[in-house]
Amino acid sequence: TDPNPTSWWALSALLLFHVVVGAAIGRWWAILLPLAWSALSIPAEGYDTPVWIIVLFQTPFFWAPALALGVAARKLARRTATAS
């Protein structure tokens, strides 16, 4: 009954979560958070590949761009709010 972690809706929800977190933080250092996540998951085992390696590999493709999108959206919203 567990959801498939590679299903499209699970990955979409996880990406949306990262966009929301990036917007909530609103600072560019938020892009580095997946690296901290990877470091914290070093003790975690994996099936074939350790979790920290998977997170580290996925960061430049999924998590960092999603966080950057959220941060950029917040900065753009703040800029347009102060301009008007």
Side-chain angles (χ1 to χ4, degrees), residues 59-81:
T59 294
F61 300 109
F62 298 114
W63 318 132
L67 286 164
L69 181 65
V71 171
R74 168 123 180 224
K75 290 195 176 285
L76 182 64
R78 189 179 297 161
R79 184 175 297 155
T80 57

Side-chain angles (χ1 to χ4, degrees), residues 4-83:
N4 182 0
T6 59
S7 65
W8 68 269
W9 65 268
L11 290 175
S12 298
L14 191 57
L15 283 171
L16 180 63
F17 172 76
H18 279 77
V19 171
V20 169
V21 168
I25 293 173
R27 304 274 185 228
W28 290 113
W29 59 261
I31 297 171
L32 300 175
L33 286 176
L35 300 178
W37 176 21
S38 178
L40 288 173
S41 61
I42 286 175
E45 297 286 327
Y47 291 106
D48 295 328
T49 308
V51 174
W52 70 273
I53 291 178
I54 295 169
V55 172
L56 198 61
F57 177 75
Q58 291 176 346
T59 294
F61 300 109
F62 298 114
W63 318 132
L67 286 164
L69 181 65
V71 171
R74 168 123 180 224
K75 290 195 176 285
L76 182 64
R78 189 179 297 161
R79 184 175 297 155
T80 57
T82 57

